[in-house]
Amino acid sequence: MSFFQQGRRFLTAIALVLLLTLTTACGGTATAKQPPAQAQSDRTSSYGQLAYGNSSAGQDFGTWVISASKGLIKDAYVRDNNKLGVVISPQVRPNEVRDLARSLAQGFHKNFPNQDLTVLVYAPDKKLILTAQYDEQSKQIQYQAG
């Protein structure tokens, strides 16, 4: 891997961590009530309407994840305030998926603390590619492919 590829990967990871950490820390929970127009049209045309979350806080966080991702995440949902599923865009390279999942788990934990959490990352074709499980007791994230 060339120096520039390593640098790009590192900067992408840092940018995602900062984006999710600072936006979450500064803004508290997400406050956007309407999903972004682009995400809404993608969802309807692709596979039907899904809710971003099955609770008010989950709905807000799912909406925020999509808008804060700047096009890296096409769809997101939160179930039971402990499970986050995201569909990534083709812009996300395979070697960036784990860093993205870690950033999402960190932001998810800030909004839904004191519990074990799961982040499910789906490819643009909606196939599960990575599961990240945050253990509250050990404060560690375990990754499992597809």
Side-chain angles (χ1 to χ4, degrees):
M1 185 179 287
S2 77
F3 175 75
F4 292 110
Q5 288 174 326
Q6 286 178 333
R8 181 180 183 273
R9 183 175 179 214
F10 178 74
L11 289 175
T12 300
I14 295 299
L16 287 171
V17 169
L18 288 173
L19 174 72
L20 289 172
T21 303
L22 294 177
T23 306
T24 302
C26 294
T29 58
T31 58
K33 297 296 179 196
Q34 295 296 320
Q38 178 64 32
Q40 186 66 31
S41 66
D42 287 349
R43 300 173 113 221
T44 304
S45 64
S46 298
Y47 53 94
Q49 184 74 4
L50 294 175
Y52 289 120
N54 63 351
S55 70
S56 175
Q59 180 85 19
D60 289 346
F61 188 75
T63 302
W64 175 82
V65 166
I66 293 171
S67 63
S69 75
K70 308 265 191 237
L72 295 177
I73 297 173
K74 292 172 48 176
D75 198 6
Y77 68 87
V78 175
R79 295 292 181 265
D80 303 323
N81 292 337
N82 67 359
K83 186 178 287 185
L84 170 65
V86 297
V87 178
I88 58 174
S89 74
Q91 296 171 323
V92 179
R93 295 181 181 199
N95 62 347
E96 298 170 339
V97 173
R98 188 174 171 145
D99 293 334
L100 178 61
R102 182 178 57 242
S103 296
L104 289 167
Q106 290 169 343
F108 195 33
H109 178 256
K110 287 182 190 283
N111 280 275
F112 300 94
N114 305 321
Q115 61 181 322
D116 295 338
L117 303 170
T118 301
V119 176
L120 303 163
V121 181
Y122 295 89
D125 64 359
K126 316 300 184 290
K127 291 185 181 177
L128 181 64
I129 56 175
L130 184 69
T131 301
Q133 294 181 317
Y134 175 81
D135 180 55
E136 174 63 24
Q137 188 172 14
S138 68
K139 309 286 191 226
Q140 298 294 315
I141 300 173
Q142 298 295 319
Y143 301 93
Q144 183 177 11

